[in-house]
Amino acid sequence: MGIVAGLDSSPDFTRIVVCDTDTGAVLRQGYAPHPVEGRPSDVDPQAWLLSLGEAAGGGLLEGVQAIGVSAQQNALVPLDAQGNTVRPALVGADKRAQVAAADLVDALGGREAWAQAVGCVPVAAQPVTKLRWLAKSEPENARRTAVLLQAHDWLVWQLLGRPVRRTTDRGGASGTGYWSAATGAYRPELVELALGHQAMLPEVIGPSDAAGTTPEGLLISAGTGETMAAAFGLGIGLGDAVVSLGASGSVMAVHPEALADQSGMITSLADATGMHLPVVTTLNAVRTLRGTAELLGLPDLESLSELAMKSTPGAHGLVLLPYLEGERTPNLPHTAGTIAGLRRESMKPEHLARAAFEGMLCGLGDALDVLRGRGVDVRRIFLLGQAAELPAVQASAPSLFGAQVVVPQPADYAAIGAARQAAWALGVSQGALDPRTPPVWQGAAAQVLEPGDELPVGQAVRQQFTAVREQTHPGAFRS
């Protein structure tokens, strides 16, 4: 069929991969940082275009037949009636919008009402919350706002030459807070609740649909958010979950239907294939390890891992509840971390190091169990993030999670997912691919770790962690 490109416009940079349409093999790649200092909350979208142009330099896109766009989620681009930006894009987990999130939750009648309406409860990062902040803090800009786009919507629109038709995909729409993954429809009254008036919303097109063709004849696919693109690039399907180890953690899995969760612990997103991606987040993942390394006077996480491996599973009875920043799963926003099981023989640095790794992974295991408790099938877990390479993580994760763990080699999975989407749209447009079945690309190169004989030991460690959590925070998962 030829070659396609996928571009990922993340918060800090643009990456482009050029792939073979049949196998997904990466043939060429480009990279450029955004011309923005640090990570501000307000960014001129032109910075994304400048970065894109630089990343695509040197004839990188020569011979490419289709492009897919992945971009940072939660970036809100407010446009006026002429299609000009009203103000810089509101990006990231904008702390300015925390009060607006609480306002919105109350305005609709509580967390349960939001979970039923759109499958998630407003948080500071979401576009719906940023709209509320805009209405309260910059009322003149709010009044001028006539069209709402996200980062990937805006980039697709720009690549197509700013046509009258503006599009998005299910994945991107599902993170806005005003589109329901369960019904597949916008809730415009929630835009009005947040912004104070209606605004034009992009048309949600199907996973294999094309957003359009450039004047030069280049097909542009629907595009999607980074999370959905990375899942698509990894090739995850039913029975798979992805555990991401950042400062905070997240667990997502593929599921055939949207999950409305009254507690608000599950965020019900749509994926890039027509399925669903329920997500559960924890506030404390690698920050738990970094804090423990500092406490023990260690220079890095590799040293902490090496020390932890000198201990044994269960850390001699030492249990760390890693709720250092409060916690979202379970919902304990104002709590702190806890160390339990201190005995004279357990008061050694290696046991605390081991307890930090086990506490982090057990916290993510709790998040996995939230999904399993709602009928989500989890047989294989992809473990992402730099900490996934640490021996102490790899030694414990399979038995604590109770499943096969796959650690993919580092790659630009969001850009690869965007390219795979482009290949799908191109194949459908040529009559070579089924609009319901994406192209089969070679899977990610990865290490595969099995629980094996360690499974009973790992489950005993989980039980020890659960007992301490229940004693310290009774009924935390029932509230």
Side-chain angles (χ1 to χ4, degrees), residues 150-330:
Q150 292 188 88
H152 81 83
D153 310 336
W154 187 84
L155 284 165
V156 164
W157 184 58
Q158 294 290 331
L159 289 172
L160 290 172
R162 298 164 60 106
V164 173
R165 181 189 188 220
R166 299 177 181 93
T167 62
T168 190
D169 85 309
R170 297 168 66 254
S174 67
T176 58
Y178 42 80
W179 186 88
S180 165
T183 64
Y186 281 117
R187 296 292 299 265
E189 76 278 14
L190 298 180
V191 173
E192 190 163 352
L193 179 71
L195 185 62
H197 61 85
Q198 293 288 350
M200 189 178 289
L201 302 170
E203 177 190 343
V204 181
I205 60 177
S208 62
D209 291 346
T213 307
T214 68
E216 299 77 31
L218 196 61
L219 188 87
I220 308 293
S221 64
T224 195
E226 272 188 318
T227 297
M228 300 81 192
F232 197 40
L234 280 166
I236 69 169
L238 289 172
D240 292 334
V242 176
V243 173
S244 295
L245 300 176
S248 52
S250 70
V251 177
M252 67 179 177
V254 180
H255 198 55
E257 59 194 39
L259 295 177
D261 175 56
Q262 295 177 0
S263 72
M265 280 193 289
I266 297 174
T267 298
S268 192
L269 299 177
D271 80 346
T273 73
M275 302 283 271
H276 294 269
L277 273 181
V279 180
V280 180
T281 57
T282 68
L283 295 181
N284 302 280
V286 175
R287 64 165 42 99
T288 306
L289 304 183
R290 295 205 184 283
T292 307
E294 284 178 27
L295 181 65
L296 294 172
L298 298 171
D300 50 39
L301 297 185
E302 288 73 19
S303 305
L304 185 70
S305 172
E306 194 178 324
L307 183 63
M309 294 299 282
K310 293 177 181 172
S311 181
T312 52
H316 276 242
L318 211 56
V319 174
L320 174 63
L321 299 184
Y323 307 150
L324 309 183
E325 299 274 323
E327 190 45 82
R328 186 172 166 183
T329 306

Side-chain angles (χ1 to χ4, degrees), residues 10-13 32-44 46-48 50-51 72 89 91:
S10 85
D12 300 313
F13 54 76
H34 295 323
V36 175
E37 289 295 318
R39 274 201 180 184
S41 299
D42 299 313
V43 175
D44 183 347
Q46 293 296 329
W48 308 332
L50 290 168
S51 168
Q72 60 179 303
V91 301

